Amino acid sequence: MPQDEAMPPDRIDMNRLELISHSPEQTQRLGIRIGELALAGDIFLLVGSLGAGKTCLTQGIAWGLGINEYTLSPSFVIVRELHGRLPLYHIDLYRLDHIEEVEELGLDNYLYGKGVCVIEWAEKGLSVLPAEHLIIQIDYLSDSERSFQLKPSGKRYLEVLGQLKHLTLN
Ligand SMILES: Nc1ncnc2c1ncn2[C@@H]1O[C@H](COP(=O)(O)OP(=O)(O)OP(=O)(O)O)[C@@H](O)[C@H]1O
Ligand SMILES: [Mg+2]
């Protein structure tokens, strides 16, 4: 029997949180809460297909950090630095195809800096990104609904999960 099947379901779900968003506004609300509780050095890894809502969530995180200049206009910039209560480093790995390209970006100043890192298409760089992080996996449920699964690695992100577990989006 495969290992997962032998494990009781509550063990598999332990330390994970799923939130359902019914609109872009609800996704932004989740982002705002994350932005409000973020600390310097936090790493949020966004995983989800095209149009899942990664940028929408990031916009909320920016607002939660007190950044008002955030725009949704498409940009070919891989790293955007914005300043609020803390710096926000918004990194988008979409255009990168090889892990070497991620390494060559020299992201360490951002990843181990004094700001908050939000990384879209983080799955493209997982092996070279910090081991402690919060994965936010976004799945498409319908035109207006998305599932957000929060998967923490490390003590800091378990704490973040605890701060989000009573959040209601509607
Ligand atoms: N509940 C929802 N949460 C977030 N976005 C939603 C939701 N329902 C519908 N949408 C729509 O889905 C789209 C999400 O776009 P967004 O740019 O945030 O996706 P993305 O994951 O960043 O895509 P990309 O991979 O192209 O960067 C927007 O057009 C938004 O209006
Ligand atoms: Mg995006």
Side-chain angles (χ1 to χ4, degrees):
M1 192 191 287
Q3 193 90 61
D4 275 354
E5 277 182 47
M7 228 187 271
D10 59 330
R11 287 275 304 281
I12 298 169
D13 292 338
M14 193 173 62
N15 301 329
R16 286 192 182 189
L17 179 64
E18 183 180 30
L19 294 164
I20 306 292
S21 160
H22 299 88
S23 66
E25 292 72 27
Q26 288 191 6
T27 295
Q28 287 161 346
R29 210 166 299 152
L30 170 61
I32 289 171
R33 188 67 196 109
I34 292 172
E36 285 170 349
L37 59 80
L39 299 178
D42 278 352
I43 310 278
F44 299 110
L45 304 184
L46 310 191
V47 173
S49 53
L50 274 174
K54 301 178 293 296
T55 301
C56 181
L57 183 75
T58 306
Q59 183 177 41
I61 295 174
W63 288 339
L65 283 165
I67 295 160
N68 298 316
E69 85 241 46
Y70 192 89
T71 58
L72 282 180
S73 58
S75 130
F76 291 92
V77 182
I78 292 176
V79 184
R80 269 210 283 178
E81 186 171 338
L82 299 155
H83 291 270
R85 174 175 69 79
L86 294 169
L88 170 63
Y89 308 126
H90 180 193
I91 299 167
D92 192 337
L93 302 181
Y94 177 63
R95 284 172 202 85
L96 306 184
D97 295 317
H98 302 287
I99 197 72
E100 293 78 21
E101 295 176 84
V102 180
E103 287 175 300
E104 282 161 18
L105 289 174
L107 294 174
D108 283 7
N109 284 344
Y110 302 110
L111 296 172
Y112 305 100
K114 293 185 175 5
V116 174
C117 282
V118 175
I119 308 183
E120 294 195 39
W121 292 97
E123 62 269 45
K124 294 192 178 211
L126 218 50
S127 61
V128 297
L129 294 171
E132 300 214 345
H133 54 243
L134 182 70
I135 289 187
I136 303 177
Q137 184 187 317
I138 312 173
D139 289 298
Y140 180 99
L141 299 179
S142 74
D143 274 358
S144 60
E145 289 173 309
R146 305 288 189 271
S147 147
F148 286 80
Q149 284 192 61
L150 278 51
K151 306 176 187 178
S153 292
K155 194 164 155 261
R156 161 66 188 146
Y157 301 97
L158 276 172
E159 178 185 297
V160 171
L161 214 66
Q163 290 174 291
L164 292 171
K165 72 178 178 209
H166 298 300
L167 181 69
T168 46
L169 298 178
N170 42 356

